[in-house]
Amino acid sequence: MSVPSSSIDFAVAAPVRRNFRTIALIVASAMFMEQLDATILATALPTMARDFGVGAPSMSIALTSYLISLAVFIPVSGAVADRWGSRTVFRAAIGVFVVGSILCALAPSLGFLVAARLLQGLGGAMMMPVGRLVLLRSVERRDLVSAMSWLLVPALIGPILGPPVGGFIVTYADWRWIFYINVPVGLLGMVLVSLFIDETKGERAGPFDGVGMVLSGVSLGSLLFGFETASREGEGMLALTLVAVGLVTGAVYLGHARRHAAPILDPALMRVPSFGTSVIAGSLTRITQGAQPFLLPLMMQLGFGLSAATSGLVTIATAIGSLMMKALAPRLLRRFGFRQALVVNGILAALLYGLCAFFRPDWPLPVIFGVLACCGFSMSFQFTAYNTVAYDRISPAQMSSATSFYTTFQQLMLSLGICVAALSLHGSMSVQGHAAPELSDFSLAFAVVVAVSLLATIWNLRFAADAGREISGHGRVVDGVKRPAAAASEALEHIR
């Protein structure tokens, strides 16, 4: 497979240039709605269980049904966008998500809720990768770093805001408002998509991969369900069985993908240097991102004895740090380049999260808040860089397939992060004989997920020195001749 030149413009299929901030914020708002919904629900499960007349553990199916829907439909999102157009599919995905949210709010029983969550997951599965595809096809390369930093914010803020917002709604209103709040956001998003986003379509190299859809759906669904099940006590055997099924069907899928002209998830993309390296390094780092919203609130409430409201206010510091990052990311990448920035900041981000292992109740809350804000800034910058450099040498023809592939692994690793954190926490409790998690157990769990993130350094060092140079503008003038990167740097000046 030949690697296209990095000089290819991402937005070649979009003749009309829109303000990249407008497009990024439209896509980010849809993703924020989804990310908030995914985390806000967990807070309301006990209350919902009482209303439905079932045990609280039975409500976990409301979470796993959504994950299974994501696993089945995320891989096909690129092919659907190529066929019907990214604007049409993105707008329809928001609409399906809103309809699913309304049905969830109206659910009279757990079975009805599960069916509605499956429909909601279909919309969410299309929103994530197609939203990113809309952005990649609509902005110029010189604006890509800044656009990606705007896009990444909701992915980090949503899981942080979810628990306190959910707690507020459950305490002062009906749990059904958790789903109703998606309606105005979604309707506004559909209008803005129609007004500001152009229609673009791609070309597929072969027929639709129906067999690949089934195999990838079974594999990813089993893995996601297995990871989620592993985070619950007493279901270890079921989790191992699901993970084994996922790995076996995944291996079968890889054999099928090598023979198909246009596989749903194209493993050949991993041979594109920046893309493959970003997938591996980013996956390892995302384990920490997935674990953090799980570990921190539990540590604050169970280990420190803080209320849910106070815990939410403290952990929101990571969201504030993420917001601070978006204005500085283009300048930092222009100054240091992708490789150097990813190596140094990757180690820094992991070590900052390592400090969380040493949090104790006698630490001043402003100090904890400041550490978490730095964590949010550093981790958000890391993912902005990963999400951007991944597409450095991806051609327009490969864009839809690449976004589906990348988003699939992103979702998988976030779920794995929760699994790793939960297993580490339970493992420490078993070894130390604790009936309930104590501070030492949380410390060990943080140490484990941080160690996994540090492994990403091995792959960060494998990025080429000039990876993403045209995007970042990292370069200089030599012998009076301006290199392409230096020219791009001048173009990036307006992002200040």
Side-chain angles (χ1 to χ4, degrees), residues 328-380:
L328 294 177
R331 303 179 192 180
L332 291 173
L333 289 171
R334 183 170 61 239
R335 172 66 179 84
F336 298 105
F338 279 99
R339 183 179 184 274
Q340 184 176 354
L342 283 168
V343 170
V344 175
N345 185 71
I347 296 173
L348 176 62
L351 294 180
L352 282 171
Y353 270 107
L355 288 177
C356 297
F358 299 97
F359 284 170
R360 291 296 182 267
D362 57 353
W363 280 46
L365 285 182
V367 174
I368 295 177
F369 193 94
V371 171
L372 293 178
C374 292
C375 289
F377 178 96
S378 190
M379 193 61 76
S380 181

Side-chain angles (χ1 to χ4, degrees), residues 41-64 110 113-114 228 232-233 235:
L41 179 62
T43 308
L45 291 182
T47 303
M48 296 168 69
R50 288 195 297 270
D51 282 3
F52 293 147
V54 300
S58 301
M59 291 300 301
S60 64
I61 190 63
L63 300 176
T64 53
L110 178 57
L113 177 68
V114 169
E228 196 276 335
R232 303 197 300 265
E233 292 187 20
E235 300 190 16

